[in-house]
Amino acid sequence: MSLAEEVELLRRIPMFANVEISKLKLLAFTSERVSFHAGDVLFQQNEMGSSAFIIVSGEADITVDTPGGPLVVAHVGRNDFIGEIAILCDVPRTASVVARTDMTTLCISKDLFFRMVTEFPQMAVEIMRVLAQRLENTTRQLQEAVSGAKPG
Amino acid sequence: MEKSIFRFVLRYSTRQQVVILLLTLSSFPFLYYSLELPKQIVNDAIGGQNFPKEFFGYQFEQVPYLVLLSLLFLTLVVVNGVFKFRINTLKGRLGERMLRRLRYELYARVIRFPLPRFRKVSQGEIIPMITAEVEPLGGFIGDSIALPVFQGGTLLVYLTFIFMQDPILGAAAVSLYPFQGWLIPRLQRKVNQLGKQRVRAMRQISDRIGESVSGMPEIHAHDTSAWHLADLSHRYGDVYDIRFEIFQRKFFIKFLNNFINQLTPFFFYLIGGYLVIKGSISFGSLVAVLAAYKDLAGPWKELLDYYQMKEDIRIKYEQVIEQFDLPELMPAALIAADADPGQRLTGAMVFSNVSFGEDTGPKILDNVSCTLPLDAHTAIVGGPGRDEFAMLVARLLMPTGGRIRVGDKDLSQLPEAVTGRRIAYVGQTSYMFTASLRDNLYYGLRHRPLKPSELDERAQAEWKRRAHESKEAGNTDFPLDADWIDYQAAGCDGPDTLRRRTMEVLAMVDLSDDVYGLGLNGTLNGENCGDVVKRILEARTALRAELAQPSMRSLVEVWNPERYNNNATVAENLLFGSPVGPVFAIDSMAENTYVLEVLEKVGMTGDFLDMGVQVARTMIELFADLPPGHQFFEQFSFISSEDLPDFQPIVAKADKDGLDSLKPEEKRRLMALPFKLIPARHRLGLMNPDLERRLLEARQVFARDLPDALRGCVEFFVEDAYNAASTIQDNILFGKVAYGQAQVGGKVGRLMAQVIDELGLRETIQEIGLDHYVGVAGSRLSRAQRQKVALARGILKNPDLLVINEATAGLDGASQSQIHNAILEERQGRGVVWVLHRPSIARRFDQTLVLRGGQLAEHGSYQDLDKPGTVMHELLAAE
């Protein structure tokens, strides 16, 4: 896959949808393409993260450790952006990600990600929008869960 | 040191000065005769009559007589030349030897400076004093005695002659000398003062420059370059003023001197003429006196020049010496004395009422009394004063009050040959010398030359000559190329045991892996490494077998002469080897006529141009918006930020008018770009099977047609041959680690380590790692690595007392505890004094000393001290 195709792929990710093509090209060029075999661990819960991944192809399970062993909480696949929380907030990984099939990803290092964000404010705004949306979703889900749990 | 340059000269060179003087004097008759002879030739031989003439009892006709005198003249010319040559050589040699002696003495004094002194003088001041400031002294010393004696003597002879002709005229000739003798030193005095100012100003400048060099990151970080430039400009301005003033005054003195010298003939003409007219003296005498007076000017001018130079040199000497002639220098004997190899420190080190403080400041340590057993471990906690305490123990500082004894000896009286060998000190920041890692590790074992290196007859003679010369200049004649390593002191019996011991110690300080890594990235440079080469090739084969497994296959793309390597640069693919030297370095490929020729032969010039344009276009698209100097340029761009604007018009022109419209220079710049391309990494989609095929063709042509002259500039990849231009790692891999594989570096590293361990190669590679050059002041090592090397250096010395002053504070926690364990284990039953950055570590020590306010607040075992109400308890609580 060449740079041009990677740029196409990045455009389909909501966070980058409104970012200029030339910036996406720069992001693609400066990030590293990394492939994983099925069963490989992209990253482990509670480790400090140094990079985020954009899935180019393949699927992965997101798991969290529970007293009863790892629990799969979500699936991610093509075009998903994962691992950004740890590099944005400097917290340990909140979950593990394990490749379910062979995967190809774009690996964006923390330095690179921050430099892109500071260099290109519109990218930062997009990221903010996506994160805010996620927060809004989570809040609504929580509200629904809370009101659903109320008797009557 | 001698307070004046003349005392220095007389003390060390009286004999040589006398020789030079005698030689100068004995040359005089010949010189005189050679001036006389031409007159004789003209008057007697050419214009003479009454032949034959008698010469030393022989009779000569006119022509033979002319021949004889001419030959005599020629001989005299040769004799004079030889005299001059010999005298100048002697002077030069004497000057150089004395200069060497002076510099050596100054450096030896720097070594004897007490350590606190280095807080007051900077290296920016010391270095020019020893190097530049004393330089003119060498030229002066050879002349210092002979010149004034010779010129003064000449002057006297002429004067005597004049006086003998006529006392009154003689008196007239010297009448102004007293005035000159009074005036000139007076004028010179001001010049001398200016000279002193100039030296001081220059020292401050070199100090400032030195400071800027050390503080360069701060200058850039705070945008203070303008301030520094202004500072220096201001100082240069001061120096300019001083120097200009000196010039003016010096030339004024010369002018005045010349004027006065011309004044005397004025009197001669007036008074002498009057006397001749009156008939008091003969006309002939006046002419003779005038002629003699004309000759006076020469020596007189020489003497004046000498005087000015002497004053200049005198001041330079004094100004340098006063910086080195300190009352508190360490006694020379403490440093020079050697010690018995078997001498050990035993018993305990006992502090009795020890105080330490700077000259005027408050006492940093006050009245400390304690016992440090040399067979147990002592922890020092608390503060302030702990740094000084540790340095006093290591005798890096001398107590200003009280006494430190070790066994039955006073520590301050022991020569450094004992303290420096039997005590090891590792501070918070340790200095690394600009040499290999091995040299830095063995640094603590190099006290004296122990085993002279084996020399053939010629080298032996050369060494003897140099040693003799060293002695003549009062320098040490220790041979530098001898084996200085004291194996015995390290508890080893030779290089092999020391090597094993080194590996043990590296493991103790958690440095083995680092050294292994350095070794992998190192190259072989010895001659006797045939065996190592063989084993590395074995490792290559073994790794190849491992990589053949399906799960490993994608990790490394192995070099194959028939295949294009997607994980290597285009340049590497073309060379199929490692460049040796700059000829085929990746940046100069496009400038290399042979490379261009090869590309032309396989018809790829156009392809390269094409790729170059595409790369340039992409780079412009990606990076043109970024501010110049952005990190991305260095990290990712093929084109630097300065060059990027140059490429924009080139690409535009190529797009508009085609590639042929480009100038050769522009073509060359474009063609340089594709060489850096790594298809698997850059994913620019520029390579295709056809290009790959033709590049392989180019690879073959390149190797086939390589001229003999260039054969040494590339080391080809050969399946079963070691590549001396590549690192050990590249030799074992014999390929490129693939891009885009998850954790590929770690996987390949583990695989390599496995192969290396199976073949027992690890130690060999660590050996190669020890050859790693650490850079200026160890700059090519990390801070943590430097500290670990310093610890290893201390332990390798096998000291009776190991003093560690917070040396592990900068390391990460895991390393710290591992190193603490290993060192305390290693030093079981032997002396350790450890200044701890965290008091809780004291638990593992036999005794703990707690300092507070420069005094010993508490001492005892950890259990005894860890009680409510103690200072130790407070410190532990604060941790």
Side-chain angles (χ1 to χ4, degrees), chain A residues 6 23 25 28 33 35 119, chain B residues 621 625 630 632 683 740 742:
Chain A
E6 284 169 10
K23 305 295 175 261
K25 208 164 184 178
R33 194 141 59 102
S35 33
E119 218 66 64
Chain B
E621 185 185 358
D625 286 352
H630 193 285
F632 279 6
R683 320 189 294 278

Side-chain angles (χ1 to χ4, degrees), chain B residues 311-470:
Chain B
E311 287 299 297
D312 190 42
I313 295 289
R314 179 175 68 82
I315 288 162
K316 284 202 168 112
Y317 181 84
E318 284 165 12
Q319 273 189 303
V320 169
I321 294 307
E322 70 188 13
Q323 295 298 319
F324 291 83
D325 219 4
L326 310 171
E328 71 271 23
L329 282 184
M330 285 170 70
L334 279 193
I335 289 178
D338 202 356
D340 295 338
Q343 192 166 354
R344 299 250 174 249
L345 299 180
T346 47
M349 187 179 281
V350 181
F351 276 48
S352 321
N353 311 100
V354 169
S355 303
F356 180 81
E358 304 274 318
D359 325 326
T360 47
K363 280 184 180 168
I364 298 167
L365 278 177
D366 192 12
N367 220 9
V368 173
S369 297
C370 60
T371 300
L372 310 167
L374 295 183
D375 55 2
H377 301 171
T378 305
I380 315 292
V381 297
R386 52 189 185 174
D387 270 352
E388 286 76 10
F389 185 90
M391 291 176 89
L392 283 167
V393 172
R395 230 276 300 271
L396 294 174
L397 295 176
M398 300 271 199
T400 47
R403 181 176 287 238
I404 305 172
R405 295 187 148 273
V406 54
D408 54 353
K409 297 193 185 70
D410 188 333
L411 185 65
S412 61
Q413 303 295 323
L414 283 175
E416 221 159 69
V418 176
T419 60
R421 296 180 204 183
R422 302 320 317 156
I423 303 174
Y425 173 87
V426 189
Q428 289 138 320
T429 50
S430 303
Y431 196 80
M432 294 289 120
F433 291 86
T434 312
S436 71
L437 184 55
R438 184 194 314 274
D439 288 333
N440 273 293
L441 283 169
Y442 295 167
Y443 181 75
L445 299 173
R446 290 207 168 111
H447 312 296
R448 294 289 185 278
L450 293 174
K451 198 167 136 259
S453 55
E454 280 164 25
L455 302 169
D456 59 25
E457 217 162 286
R458 260 179 59 200
Q460 187 81 26
E462 171 64 6
W463 180 77
K464 278 203 176 122
R465 185 193 69 74
R466 289 188 65 113
H468 171 75
E469 197 51 54
S470 304

Side-chain angles (χ1 to χ4, degrees), chain B residues 693-748:
Chain B
R693 188 183 51 72
R694 280 194 291 148
L695 256 170
L696 289 177
E697 202 184 315
R699 179 191 287 180
Q700 277 171 4
V701 173
F702 181 91
R704 191 189 66 206
D705 296 350
L706 188 68
D708 284 340
L710 292 177
R711 209 153 283 269
C713 299
V714 57
E715 177 113 20
F716 290 113
F717 298 133
V718 181
E719 170 89 48
D720 51 3
Y722 184 81
N723 186 325
S726 298
T727 62
I728 304 291
Q729 173 161 300
D730 286 345
N731 264 294
I732 296 178
L733 274 182
F734 195 64
K736 295 299 246 185
V737 174
Y739 284 93
Q741 302 291 316
Q743 288 109 32
V744 63
K747 282 183 193 164
V748 172

Side-chain angles (χ1 to χ4, degrees), chain B residues 630-759:
Chain B
H630 193 285
Q631 267 171 305
F632 279 6
F633 281 105
E634 204 178 310
Q635 248 178 308
F636 299 107
S637 178
F638 283 47
I639 304 172
S640 71
S641 60
E642 303 90 69
D643 292 345
L644 199 63
D646 299 352
F647 277 92
Q648 269 160 338
I650 301 179
V651 171
K653 196 165 153 195
D655 286 346
K656 193 162 149 266
D657 303 329
L659 288 169
D660 292 335
S661 67
L662 297 174
K663 292 193 203 113
E665 166 67 14
E666 293 169 336
K667 285 186 181 174
R668 194 191 52 71
R669 293 189 78 173
L670 285 177
M671 284 187 69
L673 300 176
F675 283 107
K676 297 178 192 168
L677 194 68
I678 302 172
R681 178 180 167 202
H682 296 114
R683 320 189 294 278
L684 292 177
L686 294 178
M687 292 304 285
N688 57 44
D690 175 54
L691 282 176
E692 286 177 11
R693 188 183 51 72
R694 280 194 291 148
L695 256 170
L696 289 177
E697 202 184 315
R699 179 191 287 180
Q700 277 171 4
V701 173
F702 181 91
R704 191 189 66 206
D705 296 350
L706 188 68
D708 284 340
L710 292 177
R711 209 153 283 269
C713 299
V714 57
E715 177 113 20
F716 290 113
F717 298 133
V718 181
E719 170 89 48
D720 51 3
Y722 184 81
N723 186 325
S726 298
T727 62
I728 304 291
Q729 173 161 300
D730 286 345
N731 264 294
I732 296 178
L733 274 182
F734 195 64
K736 295 299 246 185
V737 174
Y739 284 93
Q741 302 291 316
Q743 288 109 32
V744 63
K747 282 183 193 164
V748 172
R750 278 193 293 281
L751 208 56
M752 265 197 358
Q754 180 194 326
V755 166
I756 284 166
D757 286 338
E758 275 166 13
L759 289 169

Side-chain angles (χ1 to χ4, degrees), chain A residues 75-139:
Chain A
H75 299 298
V76 284
R78 191 171 157 87
N79 297 353
D80 279 331
F81 189 41
I82 49 175
E84 79 285 7
I85 305 258
I87 64 172
L88 272 175
C89 321
D90 245 336
V91 292
R93 299 289 194 193
T94 49
S96 303
V97 176
V98 183
R100 202 145 60 121
T101 62
D102 283 357
M103 291 175 75
T104 305
T105 62
L106 273 186
C107 172
I108 301 172
S109 73
K110 182 170 162 177
D111 287 352
L112 180 64
F113 184 72
F114 269 106
R115 251 180 264 144
M116 296 297 288
V117 168
T118 40
E119 218 66 64
F120 308 115
Q122 84 256 42
M123 202 146 134
V125 173
E126 286 306 320
I127 290 168
M128 248 193 291
R129 198 199 310 280
V130 171
L131 289 178
Q133 232 156 37
R134 270 195 212 162
L135 181 66
E136 206 265 332
N137 278 345
T138 320
T139 317

